[in-house]
Amino acid sequence: MEFEKLKCVSENVQLDDYLQLYKYVRDNMNNPEWLGTFEKEEIIDILSNGGKIWLYYDNNKTVCSMFYIPANNKSLLKHNIQYDENIVGSLGPIMVSPDYVGNGFQTRMMLQLEEYCKNIGKKYIFTKAHSENLFSINNMIKNKYELVHKYKNERGDMSAFLKEI
């Protein structure tokens, strides 16, 4: 499957499609805690405060998604990032259906987020991953994200990354 053949929806996203993909991905992960949790109300709040979701479809089947979350100074400082939230965007959860893993979709979505962040005036992208999620971490490193902070939280050992765009 080629990424370009997927239909991308990023306006008026069907939140139920996003939540169904989230559940399907999480239910099929060996380590579901790596994905973290978002309640529907949290997602709605983030979306109403500058967040954005991209959903990608193969016909009517939800294949993958990406979530832009506006950065905030409190979180940036917590991760030793000294840049103002106005110039930093945050890459939230990226999910790929287990039926489509291995097609390079995560990297393609990361590149698309870079373009979006540039278009809205961001200079950096911040993101986090579980330290054992080597697939995601390797994609981040391959895409020139730099490790800026290691820490522990309720999900375990985490790594924070930053990329200048």
Side-chain angles (χ1 to χ4, degrees):
M1 169 63 52
E2 295 177 39
F3 189 73
E4 292 76 19
K5 292 186 177 178
L6 299 176
K7 176 186 173 193
C8 177
V9 175
S10 61
E11 301 295 329
N12 302 313
V13 168
Q14 294 297 315
L15 204 47
D16 287 340
D17 288 355
Y18 179 81
L19 293 169
Q20 285 173 350
L21 177 65
Y22 178 85
K23 181 176 179 353
Y24 185 61
V25 168
R26 198 168 157 84
D27 287 351
N28 285 281
M29 291 177 73
N30 290 332
N31 303 93
E33 68 278 3
W34 290 0
L35 187 55
T37 57
F38 277 101
E39 298 296 325
K40 186 173 185 174
E41 293 73 27
E42 289 177 278
I43 296 168
I44 291 168
D45 185 52
I46 292 167
L47 292 174
S48 65
N49 287 293
K52 186 173 181 77
I53 290 175
W54 289 258
L55 281 174
Y56 301 84
Y57 296 88
D58 179 9
N59 294 313
N60 290 327
K61 186 172 184 182
T62 312
V63 172
C64 54
S65 72
M66 170 175 62
F67 195 173
Y68 169 79
I69 300 173
N72 68 64
N73 286 329
K74 181 179 176 185
S75 178
L76 293 174
L77 289 174
K78 179 175 122 180
H79 297 293
N80 302 321
I81 296 171
Q82 304 297 320
Y83 299 114
D84 186 83
E85 64 190 27
N86 293 316
I87 61 168
V88 182
S90 182
L91 172 59
I94 285 188
M95 298 183 290
V96 178
S97 166
D99 307 327
Y100 291 84
V101 167
N103 288 294
F105 294 167
Q106 183 182 41
T107 293
R108 297 300 301 268
M109 288 185 285
M110 290 168 76
L111 294 172
Q112 202 163 29
L113 184 81
E114 279 184 40
E115 289 307 310
Y116 175 75
C117 285
K118 286 177 187 176
N119 289 336
I120 61 169
K122 303 301 179 186
K123 306 273 187 243
Y124 300 90
I125 299 174
F126 166 71
T127 193
K128 302 178 276 190
H130 193 281
S131 295
E132 293 175 17
N133 186 348
L134 297 182
F135 182 78
S136 290
I137 288 173
N138 287 337
N139 279 337
M140 288 175 204
I141 292 168
K142 219 177 354 180
N143 285 285
K144 305 205 180 337
Y145 283 77
E146 294 183 25
L147 178 66
V148 292
H149 187 218
K150 286 187 168 250
Y151 63 100
K152 289 184 185 291
N153 70 11
E154 66 282 350
R155 295 190 291 154
D157 293 332
M158 302 293 290
S159 298
F161 295 85
L162 188 70
K163 178 176 184 173
E164 184 172 1
I165 51 174

